Amino acid sequence: MTRIYIVSLLFFIFSVVSYIVIEWHQNSNQVSNAIDNKVSPDFIAESLNSETYNNTGQLSYIIDANRMEHYSELAVTHFEFPKYTLYPKNTDSPWKISANEGTLYNSNRVKLESKVALIATDSESLIQEIHGKYLELDLNTNIISSEKKIEIKGIDFTMHGTGLIVDLNTKQVTLTKHEKTIFQPTKN
């Protein structure tokens, strides 16, 4: 074989491979664009504020969000910067929970992600704040859970652990795995 023949063969192989890669890339972009166009929100709300009441007419929760997108085909609603104010049964003080992102499913379960904070509005509550990267909220039962790392701030202490179950109706908090607690008495 001559050098020209080898160079010509290599150039031909390179050209065929380049063509295949370019075609594959264009086809994958067309498929992803078709999927994006196929699943679009049914409606979008900016600066959302909504109040929800229970069967007896009592305020159950309020949600504020910068943006809301509802996808009926997927049976989900996506929120940007949601802020829930929860009114549990048998308590006078609401709780506030916020995050950067939230997804509400038809089962009334909300998955909150990125900078999630649960704040007590009662200044006398033993637990004042709970922080984490991820929390799940059941709007039917007011039970909050997570399997991720959690920080609990209370009166005179900060607790770190993994896994959490909070029942806002009974004010019972269960930390699955305790890592450490720091006590810092407040000065009078």
Side-chain angles (χ1 to χ4, degrees):
M1 277 203 239
T2 66
R3 287 185 189 173
I4 295 176
Y5 180 73
I6 293 174
V7 170
S8 297
L9 183 63
L10 289 175
F11 179 74
F12 177 75
I13 292 172
F14 176 75
S15 299
V16 169
V17 170
S18 297
Y19 177 77
I20 291 171
V21 168
I22 290 170
E23 282 296 314
W24 175 79
H25 184 66
Q26 286 178 348
N27 285 339
S28 67
N29 283 344
Q30 289 173 354
V31 169
S32 68
N33 287 340
I35 290 171
D36 290 344
N37 291 336
K38 195 173 191 178
V39 182
S40 59
D42 295 306
F43 61 89
I44 297 171
E46 302 281 339
S47 301
L48 172 76
N49 182 306
S50 175
E51 296 178 356
T52 302
Y53 295 85
N54 63 19
N55 294 339
T56 62
Q58 295 176 321
L59 186 59
S60 182
Y61 63 89
I62 299 172
I63 179 167
D64 293 302
N66 288 3
R67 181 178 172 92
M68 182 269 299
E69 298 176 350
H70 178 70
Y71 300 86
S72 60
E73 187 176 325
L74 301 174
V76 299
T77 304
H78 179 74
F79 296 97
E80 292 177 9
F81 299 101
K83 296 174 187 163
Y84 282 87
T85 304
L86 307 169
Y87 295 88
K89 301 172 189 165
N90 307 322
T91 62
D92 295 329
S93 300
W95 286 79
K96 295 184 180 263
I97 188 167
S98 62
N100 287 352
E101 293 183 43
T103 305
L104 171 65
Y105 297 91
N106 276 356
S107 61
N108 262 358
R109 276 191 83 73
V110 181
K111 291 185 179 183
L112 299 161
E113 298 179 273
S114 183
K115 295 186 180 180
V116 184
L118 176 65
I119 310 291
T121 59
D122 180 5
S123 61
E124 301 296 315
S125 178
L126 178 64
I127 293 176
Q128 292 293 308
E129 301 176 18
I130 297 175
H131 297 274
K133 291 182 180 180
Y134 175 86
L135 288 176
E136 284 191 35
L137 164 64
D138 187 329
L139 292 169
N140 295 325
T141 62
N142 282 324
I143 293 177
I144 298 168
S145 62
S146 179
E147 294 180 3
K148 305 288 184 182
K149 288 192 175 281
I150 297 294
E151 178 184 67
I152 300 172
K153 292 182 178 184
I155 299 174
D156 298 335
F157 73 93
T158 301
M159 187 180 297
H160 298 268
T162 304
L164 175 78
I165 299 173
V166 179
D167 185 340
L168 295 179
N169 298 314
T170 62
K171 298 182 183 178
Q172 183 177 0
V173 178
T174 305
L175 187 63
T176 307
K177 182 181 176 192
H178 177 262
E179 293 173 8
K180 70 178 175 179
T181 301
I182 302 168
F183 290 98
Q184 295 175 322
T186 55
K187 298 174 184 168
N188 294 330

